[in-house]
């Protein structure tokens, strides 16, 4: 898998890779009339401003990068405008099938809105996706909407209409859970610390007394972060598919691009002149912890003071200084995890950091071509 930065859409080709046609002209005219239409190269700045206004946006909604081999994979976005302002949209990912005609279509990060969407809003976006992608002959559309369904122990009544809409439009839920823990950054620093586990408060004080320092670093540290993460992943047998990027070069280029665009931030904790811990935070919508890495020296004979808790604490303080009220801890496999689960330690860390359980609507799938969809599922196992 590779990623490349995309320069724009004035090359003479349409976003679908087709020759210019009346159909594309109509879509662009629709966009000017307040309906959904494809983004052009000159619209990327407006899309970035749109993402900044949407608390539930994520790095997957960025549209200036292409995922995968461009012959088999591509991405594009459609948006609805209100004057010169984008108010809703979707980032679409196409994967061409090798053995069957058509493509698999996913909405990266889910449909995105400035406000909580009504059923009419949802109808309009789904119909626009189907209309816009009809020439690509999608086998299915994987629909997402990263809108909270459950917060803590409470199902959100104000979002229950989405469940009714999903059933009405015939979208079937996939088994993949989309959930995380959110840390509430409101209140004083003492109040935030008070919501953490008492051992974490003690470890933060201990790290501070023992001389652990935390700082934000730039793209020049992307190589170091990659090396630390790969070593840690090998020891812990973790997934190393960073953003779908498969090599050091592509990882460093992609992360450096995010850092330079201020779409992400990289932090490190140091002790005795060595980097002991690093974390990568995305800054699209609600700030989200994406990856962390523990230095190899931290597992040697010389045991440093705890650095994970103080590093996340300093990230929280930094986010508060920028006016953010929520810190997304980056996902969880379940609300509760047993002690023999391979991710129990990560789950326990996030709960002890003061995170509140948040469950989003599951991804759903709209089958467009049933026979080919069954063939695709058999091929994928």
């Amino acid at each position: 898998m590779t990623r490349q930065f995309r320069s724009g859409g004035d090359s003479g080709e349409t976003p679908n890779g087709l020759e210019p046609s009346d159909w594309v002209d109509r879509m662009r005219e629709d966009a000017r009339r307040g309906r959904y239409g494809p983004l052009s190269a000159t619209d990327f700045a407006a899309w970035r401003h749109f993402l900044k206004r949407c608390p539930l946006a994520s790095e997957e909604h960025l549209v200036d990068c292409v995922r995968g081999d461009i012959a088999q994979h591509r991405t594009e976005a459609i948006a609805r405008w209100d004057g010169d302002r984008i108010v809703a949209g979707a980032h679409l990912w196409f994967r061409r099938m090798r053995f069957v005609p058509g493509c698999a279509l996913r909405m990266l990060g889910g449909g995105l809105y400035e406000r909580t969407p009504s059923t009419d809003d949802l109808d309009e976006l789904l119909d626009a996706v189907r209309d816009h992608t009809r020439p690509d002959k999608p086998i299915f559309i994987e629909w997402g909407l990263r809108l909270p369904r459950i917060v803590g122990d409470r199902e959100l009544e104000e979002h229950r209409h989405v469940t009714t809409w999903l059933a009405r439009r015939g979208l079937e839920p996939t088994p993949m859970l989309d959930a995380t823990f959110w840390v509430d950054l409101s209140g004083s620093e003492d109040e935030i610390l008070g919501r953490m586990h008492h051992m974490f408060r003690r470890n933060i004080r201990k790290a501070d007394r023992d001389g652990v320092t935390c700082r934000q670093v730039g793209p020049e540290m992307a190589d170091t972060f990659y090396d630390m993460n790969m070593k840690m992943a090998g020891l812990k047998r973790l997934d190393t598919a960073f953003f779908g990027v498969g090599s050091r070069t592509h990882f460093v280029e992609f992360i450096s691009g995010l850092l330079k665009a201020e779409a992400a931030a990289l932090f490190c904790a140091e002790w005795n002149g060595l980097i002991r811990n690093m974390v990568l935070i995305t800054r699209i919508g609600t700030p989200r912890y994406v990856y962390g890495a523990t230095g190899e020296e931290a597992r040697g004979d010389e045991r440093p003071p705890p650095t994970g808790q103080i590093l996340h604490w300093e990230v929280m303080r930094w986010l508060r200084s920028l006016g953010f009220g929520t810190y997304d801890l980056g996902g969880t496999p379940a609300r509760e995890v047993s002690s023999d689960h391979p991710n129990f330690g990560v789950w326990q860390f996030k709960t002890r950091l003061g995170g509140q359980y948040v469950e989003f609507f599951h991804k759903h799938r709209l089958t467009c071509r049933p026979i080919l969809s069954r063939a695709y599922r058999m091929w994928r196992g």
Side-chain angles (χ1 to χ4, degrees):
M1 297 283 284
T2 65
R3 275 186 184 267
Q4 302 170 337
F5 283 94
R6 178 176 176 178
S7 60
D10 292 331
S11 62
E13 293 184 351
T14 72
N16 285 300
L18 305 173
E19 292 299 321
S21 65
D22 293 340
W23 174 80
V24 174
D25 291 339
R26 180 178 62 79
M27 288 295 294
R28 288 178 174 160
E29 183 63 27
D30 283 347
R32 288 191 288 270
R33 293 175 178 172
R35 304 186 184 96
Y36 282 94
L39 292 184
S40 68
T42 58
D43 297 331
F44 287 168
W47 181 266
R48 284 295 187 104
H49 286 298
F50 168 58
L51 297 186
K52 289 180 180 179
R53 298 194 303 270
C54 298
L56 295 176
S58 74
E59 69 281 352
E60 288 193 303
H61 290 106
L62 292 171
V63 299
D64 53 353
C65 57
V66 178
R67 175 178 296 189
D69 179 355
I70 202 165
Q72 297 293 330
H73 305 260
R74 63 180 176 80
T75 67
E76 63 182 89
I78 61 173
R80 184 165 68 82
W81 296 75
D82 182 3
D84 59 355
R85 177 188 180 102
I86 295 176
V87 295
H91 189 194
L92 308 178
W93 178 82
F94 301 79
R95 183 179 189 274
R96 290 288 176 188
M97 301 292 97
R98 292 183 178 180
F99 305 111
V100 295
C103 70
L105 175 62
R106 294 185 172 89
M107 294 172 57
L108 296 179
L112 198 59
Y113 300 85
E114 275 192 331
R115 54 178 173 76
T116 300
S118 66
T119 54
D120 288 341
D121 294 327
L122 296 170
D123 277 329
E124 184 182 17
L125 178 55
L126 181 57
D127 292 340
V129 170
R130 297 188 69 173
D131 185 32
H132 179 67
T133 62
R134 188 171 289 116
D136 291 277
K137 301 178 181 177
I139 297 170
F140 62 83
I141 298 173
E142 187 175 273
W143 171 275
L145 184 66
R146 205 166 187 265
L147 192 68
R149 188 178 72 87
I150 296 173
V151 175
D153 296 321
R154 181 174 67 92
E155 182 178 0
L156 300 185
E157 183 70 29
E158 59 269 32
H159 296 165
R160 190 168 290 179
H161 66 282
V162 177
T163 302
T164 304
W165 176 83
L166 290 166
R168 176 172 63 81
R169 291 303 301 258
L171 286 97
E172 300 177 351
T174 64
M176 184 182 300
L177 176 68
D178 188 4
T180 189
F181 288 102
W182 277 353
V183 176
D184 180 6
L185 300 180
S186 65
S188 67
E189 290 190 357
D190 286 341
E191 289 173 322
I192 298 172
L193 286 167
R195 293 192 283 266
M196 294 185 190
H197 193 275
H198 66 91
M199 290 180 59
F200 276 32
R201 295 195 297 270
R202 184 183 66 189
N203 286 342
I204 290 171
R205 291 193 295 268
K206 175 177 172 54
D208 188 43
R209 288 195 307 268
D210 291 350
V212 175
T213 59
C214 302
R215 62 188 176 97
Q216 185 177 356
V217 296
E220 73 282 354
M221 296 297 291
D223 272 300
T224 300
F225 182 57
Y226 179 84
D227 290 337
M228 289 176 59
N229 214 316
M230 289 297 290
K231 289 176 182 177
M232 184 185 72
L235 288 170
K236 296 186 177 182
R237 298 180 180 179
L238 300 176
D239 181 19
T240 58
F242 308 105
F243 294 100
V245 180
S247 73
R248 170 198 292 273
T249 300
H250 295 136
F251 174 83
V252 171
E253 288 179 353
F254 182 65
I255 297 303
S256 296
L258 291 178
L259 296 175
K260 290 174 182 177
E262 297 187 345
L266 186 61
F267 293 83
C268 71
E270 297 173 297
W271 184 70
N272 282 356
L274 294 174
I275 294 178
R276 305 291 184 169
N277 214 313
M278 297 185 77
V279 296
L280 180 71
I281 311 298
T282 57
R283 296 176 56 185
I284 305 296
T286 300
R288 184 162 71 101
Y289 164 63
V290 183
Y291 290 116
T294 303
E296 186 175 12
E297 298 86 358
R299 291 181 288 272
D301 294 333
E302 183 186 27
R303 300 298 296 178
T307 55
Q309 294 91 341
I310 193 171
L311 184 54
H312 279 279
W313 171 237
E314 291 300 330
V315 168
M316 292 182 202
R317 296 181 68 192
W318 176 74
L319 292 174
R320 279 168 51 82
S321 73
L322 298 177
F324 290 106
T326 304
Y327 178 32
D328 187 336
L329 295 181
T332 178
R335 178 193 293 271
E336 300 286 341
V337 173
S338 62
S339 59
D340 59 350
H341 192 282
N343 288 328
F344 174 76
V346 176
W347 172 86
Q348 186 180 57
F349 184 93
K350 293 177 180 181
T351 57
R352 290 184 171 184
L353 205 59
Q356 182 181 40
Y357 180 77
V358 176
E359 183 177 315
F360 303 99
F361 285 92
H362 286 229
K363 288 185 173 61
H364 282 66
R365 179 171 291 184
L366 179 65
T367 300
C368 304
R369 303 163 74 190
I371 295 176
L372 290 180
S373 182
R374 286 196 293 271
Y376 171 83
R377 293 182 186 183
M378 291 177 63
W379 175 59
R380 296 287 291 180

